[in-house]
Amino acid sequence: MHKIVKIILVVVGLIGAALWFMLPEAEMPADEAANNGALNAMFAITWLLLGIAVVFSLVFALKNLFSNPANLKKTLFVVVGFLLVVGIGFVMSSGTDVSVEEMAKRGISTDESEIKKIGAGINVFFILTLVAVGSMLWGGVRKMIK
């Protein structure tokens, strides 16, 4: 299996190298360059390889997660904790932080629910930042005490 993967990677690399030399010149207008077959093929290969990497990463992560019940329990605690932080961030958000009328004057159409979601995201960011800094400080203090 390992040899087959290496052969496939070499073939994809050679195809990518061949397509590289078929790319349009730098002076070519962007609208013409966008219709270039070599460029589109390189993008297709990129998306294909990215998709394969994501699928294999998820499969092996889930396999390792479900193979050890202790890891599954820890992951469940982390997910529930994150959902709790998101809930707290959403409750803390008011939705009136920015005037909808002022946004409309600037050509941005929005409503109070979108502003509330953005505020919730900012609150989640700040809460997680405080947790990260606090855990680093706690770890440093514990090391100094020991």
Side-chain angles (χ1 to χ4, degrees):
M1 181 68 177
H2 188 65
K3 287 184 179 184
I4 295 172
V5 171
K6 277 188 172 183
I7 292 170
I8 291 171
L9 288 176
V10 168
V11 169
V12 169
L14 290 174
I15 291 171
L19 291 172
W20 176 264
F21 290 108
M22 296 170 55
L23 287 176
E25 301 278 329
E27 294 81 25
M28 182 180 285
D31 56 343
E32 290 179 28
N35 294 327
N36 185 293
L39 186 66
N40 292 334
M42 287 186 80
F43 278 123
I45 291 172
T46 302
W47 282 108
L48 176 72
L49 292 176
L50 180 66
I52 291 170
V54 167
V55 166
F56 276 103
S57 296
L58 287 174
V59 165
F60 286 117
L62 291 174
K63 178 183 162 224
N64 288 336
L65 183 67
F66 289 114
S67 66
N68 188 350
N71 285 344
L72 186 61
K73 185 177 177 182
K74 287 179 187 177
T75 303
L76 184 62
F77 280 132
V78 169
V79 169
V80 168
F82 180 72
L83 292 176
L84 184 67
V85 168
V86 170
I88 291 170
F90 193 76
V91 168
M92 289 174 53
S93 177
S94 66
T96 59
D97 302 331
V98 179
S99 170
V100 176
E101 293 82 21
E102 285 295 322
M103 297 293 282
K105 287 180 189 176
R106 297 173 192 257
I108 301 172
S109 64
T110 187
D111 58 0
E112 193 172 325
S113 68
E114 287 183 24
I115 294 171
K116 185 169 177 81
K117 290 175 192 171
I118 292 169
I122 292 170
N123 289 339
V124 168
F125 171 76
F126 286 140
I127 291 169
L128 291 177
T129 301
L130 287 174
V131 168
V133 170
S135 64
M136 287 189 297
L137 290 175
W138 175 254
V141 168
R142 268 190 28 204
K143 275 187 177 179
M144 286 193 299
I145 291 173
K146 287 184 180 182

